[in-house]
Amino acid sequence: MTQALYTMDSETGRIAPAVDEEQARAWDRDNVMTTYARLPVTLVRGEGAKVWDAKGKEYLDFLAGIAVNGVGHCHPRVVRAIQEQAATLIHTSNLYLTEPQARLAAKLVSISDFERVFFCNSGAEANEAAIKIARKHGKKDGSATKFQIVTANRSFHGRTLATVTATAQPKYQTPFAPVVPGFSYVPFNDIEALRAVVNEDTCAVMLEPVQGEGGIYPAHKEFLQEARELCDKFGALLIFDEIQTGVGRSGKWWAYEHYGVTPDIMTLAKALGGGVPIGACLARGAAATTLVPGDHGSTFAGNPLAARAALAVLEAIEEEHLLANAYAMGAYFVHRLNEAPLRGKIKEIRALGLLIGVELVQPDARRVLTESLERGLIINAVGDNILRLLPPLVITKEDVDRAVEILSAVI
Ligand SMILES: *Cc1c(COP(=O)(O)O)cnc(C)c1O
């Protein structure tokens, strides 16, 4: 591009590079693999719960980069940490110790029930690490058959071959068959089905405390308790995938705290780096020391830039009391939706903190998403009739009121 144009926001006086949206769309259309059906909006800037597109239009972002921008867009503390670290040391490889990674591990251990952390770059990689730990842990007493991993129907655990196998949804698996051996599936929240499949050959049970991509379905407490008991009985590891539910979204640091059921392994990604790619696999007990040098690794994992960003995210959540805010705003949101003039339009609202699923009576989710976008509200649709709302933890009552106003008009 030879253009060197800048735009100035008339309200804030902020200068930003001009974006040639048509050119960008053409480059995307002609050069990027079409794994996403893109919405007709090009986002250029974000601040808190708001984003702006290339035409200068403002949106309330109630998807937050799919639960990634937990502390909002461009949180000043996160921006500062990234800028400082980028000017100091971006990457070294894990052959060398860097202080930010060690500090982040200590912080995560101090605010959770886990003892050790393996860092990686994404959710799928965090689950891959969990699966590898479970497989190796299953072999520790010499068993050649203890490698079965039980997951739930409608789950989502990632897109790599092993994690797509853990993801019990045929649409994600079928094109890539044969998938990885050793996985079996049970209906979510079905205690009897779980009892029927977990046995001596099970090395792990892997569950989301609240199914996110599946449509916001919270686990029943008894189901998670049963999973814990069965894992203890058969020497299997209980893995909670908290990639979407963790880092404060539920109103507590980790969703498992709502249930009083502590897994052996918890996986994180999404909100952890505030947008900088980072994942983590946290473990306690034997699972924390199963991996030894040479077993597993990742070039970029936990590099100083990502670790500093994650530390800033965790500090912001603490200092700004965002756990309490997430919980309060989640409750307020559900309350407002219930009293909005939507009677007969909504079948069910499922929520834990700021994980909110609105199941519509009509198969209308796509239309609601598109029209909300036109009115300046970003949300997500799951299937034909579920709206998924994952706003940043920093939202205010005014933001919720505005979102409910738009949703009421559209639905
Ligand atoms: C997003 C997500 C993943 C996959 O994370 P990626 O970073 O996209 O690999 C896995 N599990 C859950 C519950 C998720 O929400």
Side-chain angles (χ1 to χ4, degrees):
M1 261 204 310
T2 50
Q3 272 180 319
L5 295 176
Y6 290 81
T7 59
M8 188 165 78
D9 188 296
S10 56
E11 260 177 54
T12 61
R14 211 188 254 259
I15 307 256
V19 174
D20 184 339
E21 189 175 10
E22 261 175 59
Q23 174 67 80
R25 293 238 153 224
W27 280 329
D28 179 61
R29 185 191 59 232
D30 298 341
N31 302 285
V32 178
M33 287 194 196
T34 48
T35 55
Y36 286 91
R38 300 214 202 270
L39 289 157
V41 167
T42 305
L43 298 175
V44 295
R45 187 165 76 78
E47 196 180 312
K50 293 193 177 120
V51 287
W52 287 265
D53 73 11
K55 298 181 180 71
K57 181 174 165 185
E58 182 181 300
Y59 301 82
L60 200 48
D61 186 2
F62 270 41
L63 184 57
I66 316 187
V68 167
N69 303 104
V71 296
H73 291 273
C74 298
H75 190 287
R77 185 185 271 272
V78 178
V79 171
R80 210 180 322 117
I82 293 171
Q83 285 174 336
E84 274 175 24
Q85 192 59 45
T88 307
L89 184 68
I90 295 176
H91 179 81
T92 63
S93 96
N94 279 306
L95 299 173
Y96 303 91
L97 169 68
T98 58
E99 195 259 5
Q101 181 185 119
R103 187 193 287 262
L104 176 60
K107 181 74 191 170
L108 286 169
V109 164
S110 78
I111 58 174
S112 72
D113 290 285
F114 301 91
E115 293 159 16
R116 285 180 187 278
V117 187
F118 171 81
F119 288 110
C120 52
N121 312 290
S122 68
E125 286 180 43
N127 285 337
E128 283 279 342
I131 290 166
K132 287 178 79 172
I133 291 171
R135 285 254 181 120
K136 190 176 177 205
H137 182 264
K139 288 191 170 64
K140 75 177 181 345
D141 297 324
S143 170
T145 54
K146 195 176 178 62
F147 57 79
Q148 295 291 334
I149 297 177
V150 178
T151 72
N153 291 344
R154 210 179 46 205
S155 58
F156 187 86
H157 298 295
R159 304 282 202 156
T160 63
L161 207 49
T163 59
V164 91
T165 310
T167 296
Q169 297 195 52
K171 68 173 175 182
Y172 293 129
Q173 293 184 355
T174 313
F176 310 106
V179 292
V180 173
F183 285 80
S184 39
Y185 313 114
V186 295
F188 194 55
N189 282 333
D190 187 333
I191 289 178
E192 286 310 317
L194 195 63
R195 278 195 197 131
V197 357
V198 177
N199 59 34
E200 294 78 16
D201 288 340
T202 305
C203 72
V205 175
M206 182 165 170
L207 299 166
E208 296 155 87
V210 179
Q211 290 190 323
E213 305 289 319
I216 314 291
Y217 291 94
H220 299 160
K221 187 171 187 168
E222 301 72 33
F223 183 66
L224 298 185
Q225 282 170 339
E226 184 68 24
R228 179 69 274 173
E229 280 169 29
L230 287 167
C231 284
D232 291 342
K233 179 173 170 194
F234 291 109
L237 297 177
L238 181 61
I239 302 169
F240 279 180
D241 177 342
E242 292 233 22
I243 289 161
Q244 193 159 150
T245 56
V247 198
R249 176 148 298 279
S250 73
K252 294 184 185 282
W253 277 120
W254 325 111
Y256 76 79
E257 297 175 77
H258 292 277
Y259 290 94
V261 175
T262 311
D264 302 293
I265 296 180
M266 172 174 77
T267 54
L268 304 176
K270 292 212 160 86
L272 183 57
V276 178
I278 184 168
C281 174
L282 284 68
R284 64 192 183 106
T289 50
T290 298
L291 297 177
V292 299
D295 273 346
H296 198 40
S298 170
T299 299
F300 298 125
N303 81 21
L305 187 75
R308 274 295 295 278
L311 277 163
V313 166
L314 301 178
E315 286 161 10
I317 291 173
E318 269 177 347
E319 289 208 351
E320 293 167 27
H321 309 289
L322 295 181
L323 301 180
N325 192 62
Y327 202 75
M329 287 305 116
Y332 180 66
F333 202 162
V334 171
H335 163 74
R336 286 299 323 273
L337 280 171
N338 275 322
E339 70 168 17
L342 289 167
R343 206 168 290 279
K345 306 276 186 191
I346 292 177
K347 191 172 159 201
E348 186 178 45
I349 299 172
R350 297 181 291 269
L352 185 66
L354 287 174
L355 291 139
I356 300 169
V358 178
E359 187 162 339
L360 304 173
V361 172
Q362 298 295 325
D364 234 7
R366 201 69 208 173
R367 179 191 64 78
V368 172
L369 179 156
T370 311
E371 290 181 22
S372 296
L373 190 65
E374 281 162 14
R375 291 173 189 242
L377 175 68
I378 295 178
I379 59 169
N380 183 237
V382 181
D384 295 331
N385 63 339
I386 301 171
L387 305 177
R388 183 167 56 147
L389 304 156
L390 302 165
L393 316 186
V394 298
I395 53 166
T396 61
K397 280 190 162 180
E398 290 68 45
D399 295 330
V400 174
D401 289 342
R402 178 88 191 109
V404 171
E405 192 182 310
I406 294 172
L407 287 171
S408 301
V410 171
I411 298 172

